[in-house]
Amino acid sequence: MAEGRIIKAISGFYYVKSDGEVHQCRGRGVFRKKNITPLVGDFVVFDKNNPDEGYVMEVKPRKNELIRPPVANIDQAIIVSSATMPDFNPLLLDRFLVLIESKGIKPIIFVTKKDIISESQRQFIDDYVREYQQIGYEVELLSSKENLNELSKLESYFSNNVSVIAGQSGVGKSSFLNAINPLLQLKTDDISKSLGRGKHTTRHVELVEVGDGLVADTPGFSTLDFNEIEANELDECFPEINELKPYCKFRGCMHNKEPKCAVKQAVEKDEISNKRYEHYISFLNEINSRKPRY
């Protein structure tokens, strides 16, 4: 038996890296009976007696996992949004942030294509960048074609980390990974202008080496759901709201219709972004209106 990490999963095959070598493996049949699905990023025990095809025998406990994208044992999530083509979408960005925060994973925000927007668009983006930085998020504005100085700065984010890259299709995830490590040659495609979004060019999940770290290159997503988040957990996914909730009059305050709510008071004083609060209420209503699970 040997131990390693799954770095790629395609069509029922798991590619396990161990001691610098990659082994093609299948999962044990008992996994299906026990409802165990190995994920990219999992640490596993595998049988490598057969040099052509091994078997994953055990999946080690995970520190975290995501469903979209399906990756485990992540140190940080880099959420990529574009300034244009497709247009910057704060609501979608906040959906990603909520999902990442709910897993206890550190989010980092990259906004791409800053070099191809107008001055008014740049002001709009800069306002949002300052807003997210004030909350405490790390934010980087990137060009569509990075220079060497910018690439060196980005590499520091990846060093000694396992990162997941998430974001809407067409925002430039594969493009900037290729720029940092040209050997990757990840497939990219042009924006479908008629749809206003990118064509899906990434077909599987794989951990690739970028800047002395590992990065999950994943398909882009245009929607996210909150099926794993309960209504009373949502405020924990908004750092600025979570910070103020101890000062609300009522324990368990949902920051919606309750009186003497510290969060609503902060919104009225412009201490919390009204847009972020509107997104919180929208997400809260969405969670409350979903069908109960049995």
Side-chain angles (χ1 to χ4, degrees):
M1 296 293 177
E3 295 189 9
R5 182 175 210 150
I6 297 175
I7 61 168
K8 181 167 63 173
I10 303 178
S11 303
F13 288 98
Y14 303 100
Y15 296 83
V16 181
K17 189 169 186 178
S18 176
D19 296 327
E21 296 183 351
V22 178
H23 304 265
Q24 178 178 295
C25 300
R26 286 187 179 274
R28 294 178 63 195
V30 71
F31 284 171
R32 188 176 295 107
K33 295 179 182 178
K34 294 184 176 181
N35 199 29
I36 297 173
T37 302
L39 297 177
V40 168
D42 272 332
F43 292 102
V44 298
V45 176
F46 68 103
D47 182 350
K48 64 174 184 178
N49 289 332
N50 184 338
D52 296 322
E53 186 174 284
Y55 280 89
V56 175
M57 308 300 291
E58 177 188 350
V59 176
K60 296 286 189 178
R62 299 164 179 157
K63 69 176 182 180
N64 54 47
E65 66 180 88
L66 291 174
I67 295 177
R68 293 184 177 181
V71 188
N73 300 312
I74 308 148
D75 296 315
Q76 61 186 17
I78 296 175
I79 304 170
V80 186
S81 295
S82 64
T84 185
M85 298 178 62
D87 290 339
F88 182 68
N89 188 332
L91 180 63
L92 183 59
L93 174 56
D94 281 345
R95 293 184 77 89
F96 277 111
L97 286 169
V98 165
L99 179 62
I100 299 305
E101 292 278 7
S102 73
K103 298 295 184 178
I105 299 169
K106 178 184 178 181
I108 298 170
I109 302 169
F110 285 2
V111 181
T112 60
K113 308 180 186 179
K114 69 177 182 181
D115 56 319
I116 56 174
I117 56 177
S118 66
E119 188 61 34
S120 60
Q121 287 175 312
R122 179 60 184 263
Q123 183 61 51
F124 173 79
I125 297 296
D126 286 345
D127 288 344
Y128 270 104
V129 168
R130 281 192 295 270
E131 183 177 294
Y132 284 110
Q133 288 174 333
Q134 288 172 357
I135 293 169
Y137 291 120
E138 294 181 64
V139 186
E140 292 287 349
L141 276 172
L142 310 179
S143 301
S144 55
K145 295 182 180 179
E146 302 300 331
N147 59 43
L148 292 178
N149 289 334
E150 287 184 307
L151 292 179
S152 297
K153 181 173 62 176
L154 294 184
E155 285 186 8
S156 65
Y157 282 101
F158 299 108
S159 295
N160 302 314
N161 284 311
V162 175
S163 308
V164 62
I165 305 292
Q168 188 178 11
S169 293
V171 297
K173 299 186 296 294
S174 295
S175 295
F176 80 76
L177 289 176
N178 283 339
I180 295 173
N181 185 354
L183 296 178
L184 293 177
Q185 295 184 335
L186 301 174
K187 186 178 179 183
T188 60
D189 210 337
D190 293 331
I191 291 293
S192 173
K193 293 182 178 179
S194 61
L195 296 176
R197 62 178 185 265
K199 302 171 184 177
H200 289 266
T201 57
T202 315
R203 299 302 179 184
H204 62 271
V205 180
E206 179 176 0
L207 289 179
V208 296
E209 294 182 2
V210 174
D212 296 324
L214 293 174
V215 175
D217 180 53
T218 65
F221 299 101
S222 58
T223 60
L224 293 167
D225 57 51
F226 301 132
N227 287 342
E228 295 187 335
I229 303 174
E230 299 301 326
N232 61 357
E233 300 170 335
L234 182 61
D235 57 6
E236 298 174 5
C237 303
F238 285 77
E240 69 274 40
I241 293 178
N242 191 44
E243 183 179 348
L244 287 177
K245 73 176 184 179
Y247 303 100
C248 294
K249 180 178 181 179
F250 298 101
R251 180 179 295 182
C253 180
M254 303 301 288
H255 325 297
N256 186 9
K257 298 177 182 179
E258 298 86 349
K260 297 185 179 180
C261 168
V263 172
K264 291 194 294 182
Q265 291 171 358
V267 173
E268 292 172 359
K269 297 176 182 177
D270 291 328
E271 295 171 356
I272 286 181
S273 160
N274 187 64
K275 284 293 183 184
R276 283 271 292 176
Y277 177 71
E278 287 178 357
H279 293 170
Y280 166 81
I281 294 299
S282 174
F283 299 160
L284 182 65
N285 291 336
E286 179 179 333
I287 292 171
N288 285 331
S289 65
R290 73 187 176 202
K291 294 181 180 179
R293 289 174 288 179
Y294 298 101

